[in-house]
Structure formats: structure tokens, C-alpha cells
């Protein structure tokens, strides 16, 4: 077998894997309605065990290959961000979220994911700026409101976080994912800290 057809065969298999991965929806969906991740799930996702395993190198390479070939492929960049975020590789995730936003700046879900990765990196003021931008575009964005409260907490602005979360609870009064947040607001008002994590 000549080398050239072998290269095309390998490239075709990688491309097929990536397309199948995206089509099957194995990554995160990109709408706020279908992936709310609030609050207990958020804490579990954003506080991985020490020494969390790195993302699968083959998956990363396959998605990077698609992103390199198609400079306009937003979805490959978002999937890379999600994959790296799930494995606590926050700096790398932020890079891919930024690239996706460069191509589609109005995507509030990706902007919130970028903010969450920055929050996990200890860059709460930068994260807060991303959440505020998402909320400027969509004032009722549930994930942005939740994470804005976390960013305010991390910058020592607990009373402001309580106001944001109280507003979130009023906006979505029957949302079962937000029920635990009521206790957080009460703790803040009583002068105690919060234990929730970014999503």
C-alpha cells in the first residue's frame, strides 16, 4: 500500500470519529436550556479530585485536527473547551472558548463557560466581566446569574452575590435545580460563606 492513501485513510478515520462524536451529542449541548448544571452538579463538575486525569489525548488530537483544518468551525472549539474543562485543564479550555467566541461572539453559553474556566483559575474579576457581558446580552441567562454570584463571592462581595442569587430565585421560582441556592442566600445574609462551585 502506498503511503499517500494510508495518510488519507487515517485522516478519514479521525474525521469520521470527530463527526460521529459531535453528531452523537457526547459532548455538552450548547444551549443554556439543555445544560443548566446548577448548583450541586456544578460543584461536582468544577472541583475535580486532586490529580484529575488529563483529557483523552486521542479525542483532543482529533478535535484539534478538525479545528486546524476548518478555521471557522465553532463547534470543534467548543467541544475542545468542554472536554478540557471536564478534566480540570482550565487554561487550555479557556483558550478554546476564546477562539469559539472570536468566531461567534454572541454565544452567551460559551461566554459563560469561558467565565467558569477563569473562575476555576482563580481569576474572579475576569470571570465576572464575562458573566456581565453574557447578562448584558441576555439578562435572564440562568447560568450567568448563578456564576456571577460565585464570582462576586470570590471577590469578597457576598452581599452583592446574595442580591444576584435572590433575583435568580425570583426569576425562576419553581426551578428544582436552584432550591439549594436558597440556603446559600440565607447563609450569606447571616454572614456565612458559600460552598458552591462554578459551573
Amino acid at each position: 500500500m502506498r503511503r499517500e492513501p494510508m495518510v488519507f485513510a487515517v485522516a478519514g478515520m479521525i474525521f469520521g470519529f470527530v463527526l460521529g462524536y459531535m453528531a452523537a451529542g457526547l459532548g455538552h449541548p450548547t444551549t443554556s436550556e439543555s445544560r443548566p448544571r446548577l448548583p450541586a452538579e456544578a460543584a461536582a463538575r468544577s472541583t475535580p479530585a486532586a490529580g484529575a486525569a488529563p483529557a483523552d489525548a486521542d479525542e483532543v488530537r482529533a478535535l484539534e485536527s478538525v479545528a486546524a483544518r476548518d478555521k471557522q468551525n465553532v463547534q470543534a472549539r467548543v467541544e475542545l473547551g468542554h472536554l478540557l474543562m471536564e478534566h480540570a485543564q482550565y487554561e487550555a479550555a479557556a483558550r478554546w472558548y476564546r477562539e469559539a467566541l472570536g468566531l461567534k461572539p454572541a454565544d452567551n453559553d460559551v461566554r459563560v463557560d469561558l467565565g467558569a474556566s477563569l473562575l476555576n483559575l482563580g481569576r474572579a474579576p475576569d470571570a465576572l466581566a464575562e458573566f456581565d457581558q453574557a447578562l448584558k446580552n441576555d439578562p435572564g441567562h440562568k447560568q450567568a446569574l448563578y456564576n456571577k454570584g460565585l464570582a462576586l463571592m470570590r471577590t469578597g462581595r457576598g452581599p452583592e452575590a446574595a442580591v444576584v442569587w435572590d433575583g435568580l430565585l425570583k426569576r425562576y421560582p419553581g426551578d428544582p435545580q436552584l432550591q439549594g441556592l436558597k440556603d446559600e442566600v440565607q447563609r450569606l445574609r447571616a454572614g456565612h460563606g458559600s460552598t458552591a462551585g462554578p459551573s
Side-chain angles (χ1 to χ4, degrees):
M1 184 181 223
R2 288 187 352 210
R3 181 180 176 130
E4 191 173 305
M6 176 70 109
V7 169
F8 285 126
V10 171
M13 286 190 310
I14 291 173
F15 186 67
F17 166 77
V18 172
L19 287 180
Y21 177 85
M22 288 185 203
L26 296 176
H28 295 350
T30 57
T31 63
S32 60
E33 293 305 312
S34 58
R35 71 176 167 113
R37 294 189 308 237
L38 295 170
E41 185 181 347
R45 174 176 177 222
S46 61
T47 52
D56 182 273
D58 291 335
E59 284 183 71
V60 171
R61 274 195 298 273
L63 287 165
E64 285 176 339
S65 176
V66 172
R69 280 197 312 275
D70 184 355
K71 302 295 186 191
Q72 301 302 309
N73 190 322
V74 175
Q75 189 61 34
R77 287 160 172 79
V78 172
E79 291 297 328
L80 270 162
H82 292 335
L83 180 61
L84 294 163
M85 182 84 158
E86 287 176 354
H87 292 275
Q89 294 173 253
Y90 304 122
E91 194 70 57
R95 173 205 163 195
W96 288 108
Y97 289 141
R98 279 193 192 96
E99 283 201 21
L101 285 169
L103 296 169
K104 193 177 176 186
D107 192 324
N108 290 322
D109 295 326
V110 174
R111 189 165 299 283
V112 171
D113 287 332
L114 170 59
S117 64
L118 295 172
L119 199 53
N120 278 303
L121 287 166
R123 294 167 53 189
D126 295 332
L128 187 57
E130 297 300 336
F131 302 139
D132 281 339
Q133 182 61 49
L135 290 166
K136 182 178 175 186
N137 299 334
D138 177 5
H141 196 290
K142 192 191 308 184
Q143 203 71 37
L145 287 165
Y146 177 77
N147 283 347
K148 179 176 180 174
L150 290 175
L152 288 167
M153 287 287 299
R154 302 272 175 91
T155 55
R157 295 155 65 185
E160 290 176 65
V163 169
V164 169
W165 283 341
D166 194 45
L168 176 62
L169 288 165
K170 286 177 181 165
R171 187 179 285 265
Y172 301 100
D175 192 322
Q177 294 177 316
L178 296 175
Q179 295 313 300
L181 205 52
K182 290 178 183 176
D183 294 337
E184 295 293 331
V185 171
Q186 288 175 351
R187 272 195 286 272
L188 282 172
R189 290 200 168 128
H192 302 290
S194 171
T195 57
S199 60

